[in-house]
Amino acid sequence: MDTIANAITIERAKTSKIDQVDFNNLAFGKVLTDHMLVCDYKNGAWETPKVVPYQPITLDPSAKIFHYGQSVFEGMKAYKDSEENVWLFRPLDNHKRINISSKRLAIPEIPEDYFMEGLKALLKVDEQWIPTSEGSSLYIRPFIFATGTGFHASPADEYKMIIACAPSGSYFAGKVKVLIEETYSRSANGGVGFAKAGGNYAGQFYPTQLAVEKGYNQVIWTDDNTHEYIEEAGAMNIFIRINDTLITSPTSDRILDGITRKSIIEIAKDENIPVEVRKITVSEVVEASKNGSLKEMFGAGTAAVISPISGFGYRNEEYDLPELENSYAALLKKRITDIQYNKVEDKFGWRYKL
């Protein structure tokens, strides 16, 4: 690893934008830092990563990303604790997952040391951009896409990985109202639903727009075959609490293996909360709502960590969830964020010090 770490070149920006940023009013993913990491794949191998000033990229119009959609990404965060130490949360899982996504889209896998040492070099250069206010963090977006050219429908021969960062404030989305989807599907068996492929999200936008027009914030995705089983919440994994049991769908070809999802399952077990990883039907959730046993539903992902759901719509009926004093959502979010910000002992070994 030292070999790559020592080989990474750093070209610093001539001037910094940091003085123009209001760190007390940061929208999510809108303000970008001064630098980015770039790493190119050419002649059958990944070249040495380099840190350069944040800048536009130039691509040939026949670059295959535009025509065949070879593109994958990750979402992660860097945090500062009260002592100004910088921490990442389960970054090796992000590296592993971007390679799982890449493999599915015939993109060459990025070596761990290229990813991790490149990320560390970038964060050291832009460390001042990591916010220190409560709930804030530096959102990190690694992505890989096809730069090789030609209209032939085949994998590209050249690719580019970029890691760009955006300081972001506390992600308070409020409680969301969701519509259970029965027409459109997010993914299918044998497809790419488990990968963080750009096209997965593009395909979600239209059904989500239709739900927004009906007064909902987001869509609950169901299985592609029968639309009987609950799978994901928008771009997040979903958890459902019936009585005292927390239920989430098993990962599959269709469902993303979320890092926040995995963390919630482990923390819930540590809190002696009964957890079931199993298929759950829409009818079970509707019945639980009707008989009062449905206590909570929430989405889980990197950006919001946990996003509580206040109610859902299904077949022209509205179902509200109760307001709870001591919700699982609040407990689990605090447990995760306390680990992320180095406020408590990390018994799981998830924190990664820069």
Side-chain angles (χ1 to χ4, degrees), residues 149-163:
T149 58
F151 294 143
H152 187 264
S154 61
D157 57 359
E158 295 184 356
Y159 298 85
K160 187 183 290 286
M161 180 181 79
I162 293 177
I163 303 181

Side-chain angles (χ1 to χ4, degrees), residues 8 35-39 49-51 114 118-119 122 161-163:
I8 294 171
H35 299 87
M36 62 187 192
L37 183 85
V38 178
C39 186
K50 53 190 177 183
V51 176
Y114 283 56
L119 175 57
L122 174 63
M161 180 181 79
I162 293 177
I163 303 181

Side-chain angles (χ1 to χ4, degrees), residues 9-306:
T9 57
I10 296 172
E11 180 192 343
R12 291 184 178 269
K14 290 184 172 61
T15 56
S16 176
K17 309 183 295 276
I18 199 166
D19 292 339
Q20 303 162 30
V21 177
D22 181 359
F23 278 85
N24 294 315
N25 292 287
L26 289 167
F28 183 78
K30 291 284 190 183
V31 176
L32 283 299
T33 65
D34 288 326
H35 299 87
M36 62 187 192
L37 183 85
V38 178
C39 186
D40 289 304
Y41 180 90
K42 293 179 180 178
N43 302 314
W46 286 100
E47 298 179 348
T48 304
K50 53 190 177 183
V51 176
V52 299
Y54 185 85
Q55 59 192 277
I57 52 177
T58 301
L59 291 173
D60 191 288
S62 71
K64 293 199 174 187
I65 175 58
F66 299 131
H67 308 279
Y68 306 114
Q70 279 182 289
S71 173
V72 297
F73 70 95
E74 274 299 317
M76 40 199 311
K77 289 177 177 177
Y79 312 85
K80 267 187 182 169
D81 64 20
S82 57
E83 305 293 318
E84 299 275 308
N85 294 307
V86 177
W87 301 90
L88 297 169
F89 184 73
R90 306 188 72 167
L92 296 176
D93 286 347
N94 291 102
H95 167 258
K96 181 180 176 183
R97 192 170 62 184
I98 202 168
N99 277 344
I100 289 170
S101 299
S102 293
K103 187 173 183 178
R104 181 61 182 84
L105 271 72
I107 295 171
E109 297 175 38
I110 186 90
E112 181 184 307
D113 52 347
Y114 283 56
F115 183 91
M116 290 301 301
E117 296 303 326
L119 175 57
K120 289 194 282 188
L122 174 63
L123 292 179
K124 284 176 182 174
V125 172
D126 276 347
E127 186 175 332
Q128 293 306 308
W129 283 86
I130 304 173
T132 54
S133 56
E134 183 74 24
S136 297
S137 58
L138 186 72
Y139 184 78
I140 302 165
R141 171 55 60 87
F143 56 107
I144 304 173
F145 57 96
T147 55
T149 58
F151 294 143
H152 187 264
S154 61
D157 57 359
E158 295 184 356
Y159 298 85
K160 187 183 290 286
M161 180 181 79
I162 293 177
I163 303 181
C165 303
S168 296
S170 188
Y171 196 101
F172 290 125
K175 289 200 173 183
V176 296
K177 191 178 165 192
V178 297
L179 176 66
I180 295 179
E181 180 59 53
E182 289 191 274
T183 302
Y184 297 97
S185 297
R186 179 189 165 275
S187 58
N189 287 330
V192 296
F194 67 91
K196 282 189 77 71
N200 286 346
Y201 297 80
Q204 292 186 33
F205 294 155
Y206 177 64
T208 303
Q209 279 180 350
L210 296 180
V212 169
E213 287 167 10
K214 294 176 182 176
Y216 298 93
N217 304 101
Q218 197 48 269
V219 164
I220 293 286
W221 299 105
T222 52
D223 69 288
D224 63 303
N225 189 25
T226 66
H227 293 290
E228 291 178 6
Y229 295 94
I230 299 248
E231 298 210 322
E232 291 200 349
M236 308 175 83
N237 294 117
I238 188 168
F239 285 83
I240 296 163
R241 175 185 174 183
I242 296 179
N243 290 318
D244 289 334
T245 301
L246 199 58
I247 306 164
T248 193
S249 304
T251 55
S252 66
D253 284 351
R254 305 183 306 278
I255 297 175
L256 185 74
D257 186 12
I259 293 165
T260 306
R261 172 189 176 277
K262 289 191 288 193
S263 305
I264 286 171
I265 291 169
E266 288 199 53
I267 289 173
K269 289 177 179 176
D270 189 59
E271 290 282 349
N272 294 316
I273 293 171
V275 178
E276 294 180 3
V277 179
R278 64 169 173 85
K279 290 184 174 184
I280 181 165
T281 61
V282 177
S283 57
E284 182 180 355
V285 174
V286 168
E287 179 56 34
S289 180
K290 287 178 177 177
N291 67 30
S293 61
L294 179 64
K295 305 300 184 187
E296 294 180 72
M297 295 171 65
F298 54 85
T302 299
V305 184
I306 286 175

